[in-house]
Amino acid sequence: SRSTMKAFHRRLITAALLVTMAVVGLRPASADEPIDVSGAIRIVAAFAEPAPAGACTKVRFELINDSRDDLQIIGLQTDIALLSRLRATVGAQQTVTLGSFGVPADETVDFARFRWFELCGLTRSLRQGEDFTAELRTVRWTTTLSIHVH
């Protein structure tokens, strides 16, 4: 019957979505291993600076967007900091906080030079050689980064 076919197709679509979500799901990668978000978006060499508990650190990385779509980065979230801000150097060394940042299709953005995430209110000390994880959030997806403390 028609209602049986609709129910079957709904279950089939739901199953396909669950399989797709499982396949797309990302695992944390080592800090220097590129993380491939969509087959065309890679995050390379995520690192932070050592800092004592309660202080701030900068998180830097390179994001390569070889996809046909623009990205809108909206945040970095981690349990080791109370606050995360996207920061940028503008003009003659003026630092500003950004609400988000666009990465055009076929562009590479070096978050190691003029843009970075600042994590403040560290809940523990970050020591050289350690790793921690954070969630990089865009408008469309979230992925886990493994960040090495240099």
Side-chain angles (χ1 to χ4, degrees):
S1 80
R2 190 166 179 81
S3 63
T4 304
M5 288 300 290
K6 281 185 177 180
F8 172 75
H9 283 105
R10 276 191 215 120
R11 282 193 293 268
L12 185 62
I13 290 170
T14 301
L17 283 171
L18 291 173
V19 168
T20 301
M21 289 168 57
V23 170
V24 171
L26 301 170
R27 62 170 174 74
S30 71
D32 292 326
E33 176 184 338
I35 298 170
D36 185 344
V37 176
S38 74
I41 299 163
R42 294 182 315 253
I43 298 162
V44 181
F47 69 93
E49 301 167 345
C56 296
T57 188
K58 294 177 181 177
V59 174
R60 300 173 185 270
F61 54 87
E62 182 177 90
L63 190 146
I64 302 165
N65 181 7
D66 286 335
S67 75
R68 292 178 288 173
D69 298 318
D70 296 346
L71 299 176
Q72 193 68 26
I73 296 179
I74 57 175
L76 187 72
Q77 191 172 351
T78 180
D79 61 355
I80 68 155
L82 301 175
L83 175 68
S84 172
R85 297 183 283 219
L86 177 55
R87 307 282 281 167
T89 301
V90 179
Q93 304 302 325
Q94 179 183 3
T95 301
V96 297
T97 300
L98 304 174
S100 66
F101 181 79
V103 181
D106 295 318
E107 293 277 331
T108 297
V109 174
D110 187 355
F111 280 85
R113 298 192 64 207
F114 301 110
R115 293 168 206 89
W116 65 92
F117 281 97
E118 184 176 62
L119 302 178
C120 290
L122 294 174
T123 58
R124 65 175 179 84
S125 295
L126 294 179
R127 293 182 185 87
Q128 188 171 5
E130 294 180 330
D131 292 325
F132 65 93
T133 60
E135 298 290 322
L136 180 66
R137 295 176 31 228
T138 74
V139 170
R140 295 184 182 167
W141 48 258
T142 299
T143 190
T144 302
L145 303 181
S146 179
I147 301 168
H148 185 72
V149 181
H150 279 231

